[in-house]
Amino acid sequence: MTDRATVEQVVEGSMSWIGKNLSQFDPFKNGELSGLCEIPLSELAILTLSAQHCLGTVDPSVVARFLDSLEAANHSPTYRERPFREPETMVPHLVVAAALERGGRLDGREFRTSFERLVEVSSVTAPALPPHRMMELHHALDLSGVNHRLPSYQMLYRRTMAAQPVNPIYVSRAESYVLTHVIFYAADLGHRPAEGISEDEIKRLAKLVRSLLGMYIIACDWDLTAELLLSAQCLRQPTRFDDLGWEALASAQRPDGAVPGLRARLREDQVTGSGMGAESEAESCYHTTLVSALAGLAVLSGR
């Protein structure tokens, strides 16, 4: 049984740090919208959605601040127009809209009508997309209530790397992220049983997740440690390494609540001195801190 107090410590610190560093999620922080600039905002939206499921555990004022940031970006016509100019940016906009609608900040009816038309005419749903990206799109469309005709989760899952028998020793770091994200999309970050994945497959995946979790704890890779802890929650299959993983995250968490990513694991004098600027330091911590909060919320919600 995972120690609840340890998980609460990680969640409380992580949510506090994110609340004080919301500028990291602003898609306009570097000027014009370009590239993948909306991804951090959509990750904040995912966290907001998970927190909305745990309002008995999470301070509602924190969720309100997250919604304020999402709403501020969505208020910009430039932001709202982008997926219609560049359909490949659709997923982050769908997730942000889902969080805003659930938080009472957006009337989703007009949004859904517009995006249903976009899905129909866009090549973004083409089968040429990698299957895990198709699962991501399927999940985002479902979150926002947009009708679509994508293949089922089961059909998409069977085409992913996660559905293939693999030796964890030979699974690369990039492939580990594909695995965790396939599980996230199928299970809606733990809010439902994994859709499209059989019981036998869940048991096989759980063994793979367990092995990788042990490997990444030893490697002190806290980002994948948190992702794999969340994956175990999504599969409803606790592992023997869960307690060790949470203890490692709690020990790695800094006094300000940040959980350091790989690039942020510097000596204290480098962090506080001239080794890394505050902006760069925050960028290197935000994802690991966010996914640690997501994993913790999944535990605290009893999923």
Side-chain angles (χ1 to χ4, degrees):
M1 173 71 86
T2 299
D3 180 54
R4 188 178 179 91
T6 301
V7 177
E8 288 175 345
Q9 171 194 324
V10 173
V11 170
E12 183 178 352
S14 297
M15 297 289 277
S16 175
W17 185 89
I18 291 168
K20 294 172 184 175
N21 288 272
L22 289 171
S23 62
Q24 289 301 315
F25 302 89
D26 181 2
F28 293 99
K29 68 178 181 178
N30 294 320
E32 294 298 317
L33 299 178
S34 62
L36 303 176
C37 66
E38 291 111 331
I39 296 297
L41 189 73
S42 69
E43 292 168 336
L44 179 65
I46 287 288
L47 179 60
T48 304
L49 286 164
S50 288
Q52 288 167 334
H53 283 280
C54 302
L55 287 180
T57 303
V58 177
D59 182 350
S61 67
V62 174
V63 178
R65 290 202 301 276
F66 291 178
L67 286 167
D68 289 344
S69 292
L70 300 176
E71 190 173 29
N74 192 63
H75 185 70
S76 166
T78 304
Y79 172 86
R80 294 197 305 274
E81 291 167 5
R82 192 174 187 213
F84 298 93
R85 299 180 186 276
E86 302 173 66
E88 64 273 17
T89 66
M90 185 188 303
V91 166
H93 291 259
L94 291 166
V95 178
V96 168
L100 286 173
E101 183 173 28
R102 189 168 296 174
R105 305 288 186 98
L106 178 73
D107 183 343
R109 290 172 294 183
E110 182 178 347
F111 171 89
R112 278 187 283 275
T113 299
S114 299
F115 271 78
E116 283 167 5
R117 294 195 193 109
L118 179 59
V119 169
E120 284 294 322
V121 302
S122 170
S123 62
V124 76
T125 59
L129 284 174
H132 69 282
R133 291 298 181 198
M134 290 288 283
M135 285 189 74
E136 177 186 44
L137 178 60
H138 196 310
H139 177 238
L141 290 166
D142 289 352
L143 277 180
S144 56
V146 174
N147 293 321
H148 61 86
R149 293 183 287 182
L150 268 64
S152 68
Y153 283 106
Q154 182 180 55
M155 290 181 64
L156 293 172
Y157 169 75
R158 287 174 176 173
R159 300 172 193 166
T160 67
M161 158 264 172
Q164 310 307 313
V166 292
N167 185 330
I169 293 174
Y170 299 112
V171 175
S172 69
R173 192 167 186 268
E175 289 169 335
S176 295
Y177 280 107
V178 172
L179 169 70
T180 59
H181 283 236
V182 165
I183 294 170
F184 295 167
Y185 304 142
D188 186 22
L189 282 294
H191 298 302
R192 66 177 179 220
E195 187 170 337
I197 305 179
S198 70
E199 286 299 318
D200 286 344
E201 272 294 280
I202 286 174
K203 291 175 183 177
R204 183 187 66 81
L205 286 173
K207 291 179 181 178
L208 179 58
V209 165
R210 180 190 63 201
S211 297
L212 291 172
L213 176 57
M215 291 163 59
Y216 282 106
I217 291 171
I218 291 171
C220 298
D221 186 328
W222 309 134
D223 202 81
L224 271 167
T225 293
E227 293 232 350
L228 290 159
L229 285 168
L230 178 53
S231 296
Q233 285 294 129
C234 288
L235 295 171
R236 316 290 170 90
Q237 298 281 327
T239 84
R240 68 184 66 160
F241 297 125
D242 286 3
D243 284 348
L244 183 60
W246 282 110
E247 289 168 11
L249 290 181
S251 295
Q253 190 171 42
R254 295 178 178 165
D256 65 356
V259 182
L262 284 179
R263 291 193 297 121
R265 294 211 329 260
L266 302 172
R267 292 183 311 176
E268 187 65 24
D269 60 340
Q270 290 177 306
V271 173
T272 57
S274 59
M276 181 180 283
E279 186 74 13
S280 179
E281 170 71 3
E283 286 181 2
S284 68
C285 289
Y286 97 82
H287 186 268
T288 306
T289 305
L290 185 142
V291 75
S292 296
L294 282 173
L297 288 172
V299 172
L300 297 178
S301 68
R303 300 195 297 273

